[in-house]
Amino acid sequence: MQASSLIVRKAVAGDAETIFRFTAGLIEDHLPGQPPWVSVEDIKINGFGSDPLFEALIAERDDQPIGFVSFFRGYAGWRGKPMGIVHALYVLPEERRSGAARTLMAGVARIALERGWIRIELFVEEGRPALSFYERIGMRDLHHRHLRLEGEALSNLARI
């Protein structure tokens, strides 16, 4: 595939259905059979409402969406600087290894530099093939454990 026919653009509210479809594909890649927890309406409100929680870029080839990346601003507390956190990156299976994922991440990198973000971070499950892709584009594996507090454990801790 020709990388030149690939374009990346900022997602708009009208892309909520596409983002939902790609999110469902990402969930299916990680947890086959698991229905999405998010809805198109959630995406519209959370990404394009009055207080957006994330931004997204859409990759298109021949005017057809083939992938997306979602990200948000975070804070690098030890450095006292803003940073970007990539939440999701997904490219349709038939478009993988076409340069789309690299181009999407390059778009986030440009935004980071424009906004003065010190770095971009993301989380990858151990053993996922995506880890080698991220290392190839220059990301460094910090070997940190990603921990989560939710559900009953979250409620129990909050009661202390």
Side-chain angles (χ1 to χ4, degrees):
M1 302 228 164
Q2 292 276 342
S4 62
S5 65
L6 181 70
I7 66 154
V8 170
R9 63 172 177 78
K10 184 172 174 51
V12 296
D15 292 313
E17 177 68 41
T18 298
I19 294 170
F20 172 80
R21 191 167 30 91
F22 289 154
T23 300
L26 187 58
I27 292 169
E28 182 64 26
D29 281 355
H30 288 261
L31 301 167
Q34 170 64 52
W37 295 277
V38 67
S39 70
V40 173
E41 191 60 28
D42 291 333
I43 292 168
K44 283 181 184 174
I45 292 167
N46 295 330
F48 308 100
S50 61
D51 183 22
L53 299 174
F54 71 92
E55 297 176 68
L57 301 175
I58 304 284
E60 293 180 338
R61 188 179 310 284
D62 301 323
D63 296 321
Q64 294 301 310
I66 63 165
F68 91 115
V69 61
S70 64
F71 59 96
F72 54 94
R73 188 178 75 159
Y75 183 65
W78 288 10
R79 303 290 285 287
K81 304 277 185 188
M83 66 178 185
I85 300 172
V86 169
H87 170 259
L89 173 65
Y90 180 80
V91 174
L92 292 172
E94 62 272 19
E95 287 285 345
R96 292 178 186 162
R97 299 192 179 280
S98 72
R102 178 182 289 271
T103 304
L104 284 162
M105 288 298 293
V108 177
R110 281 189 294 279
I111 289 168
L113 291 176
E114 289 167 7
R115 295 179 184 177
W117 295 353
I118 193 168
R119 64 179 178 241
I120 297 169
E121 291 189 357
L122 54 80
F123 300 100
V124 178
E125 293 175 28
E126 245 180 271
R128 299 296 300 183
L131 187 56
S132 63
F133 161 75
Y134 291 120
E135 289 174 334
R136 280 194 311 277
I137 65 169
M139 295 189 92
R140 191 167 39 102
D141 185 354
L142 301 176
H143 301 285
H144 292 163
R145 299 221 19 217
H146 179 192
L147 303 175
R148 178 176 291 155
L149 185 65
E150 64 183 350
E152 188 176 337
L154 174 65
S155 296
N156 289 341
L157 183 60
R159 285 192 286 271
I160 293 177

